[in-house]
């Protein structure tokens, strides 16, 4: 996995990520969201929505 700086200010990208890595990040954010982190909850929801729109 590599973290890259994007052109937009304070924006970064992760690549390449395997399906299991994406799922791990989503699951971790989902659990952290249950503990009260609104940012983690939002990230988990965005990842879950995106995962539903791709074919593997």
């Amino acid at each position: 996995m590599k973290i890259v700086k994007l052109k937009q200010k304070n924006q970064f990208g992760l690549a390449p990520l395997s399906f299991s890595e994406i799922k791990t990040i989503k699951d971790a954010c989902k659990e952290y969201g249950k503990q009260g982190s609104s940012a983690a909850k939002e990230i988990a929801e965005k990842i879950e929505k995106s995962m539903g729109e791709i074919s593997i």
Side-chain angles (χ1 to χ4, degrees), residues 2-50:
K2 183 177 180 181
I3 299 175
V4 295
K5 175 80 172 88
L6 302 175
K7 289 181 181 180
Q8 299 92 337
K9 185 177 182 181
N10 295 324
Q11 296 287 309
F12 299 87
L14 298 171
L17 291 170
S18 68
F19 178 81
S20 63
E21 289 170 324
I22 294 170
K23 185 177 179 320
T24 299
I25 293 168
K26 177 191 65 100
D27 292 346
C29 287
K30 195 173 196 177
E31 287 300 314
Y32 194 40
K34 288 179 184 176
Q35 297 174 19
S37 172
S38 59
K41 182 179 177 184
E42 183 179 335
I43 291 168
E45 290 169 354
K46 286 180 181 178
I47 292 173
E48 193 160 15
K49 182 179 183 238
S50 295

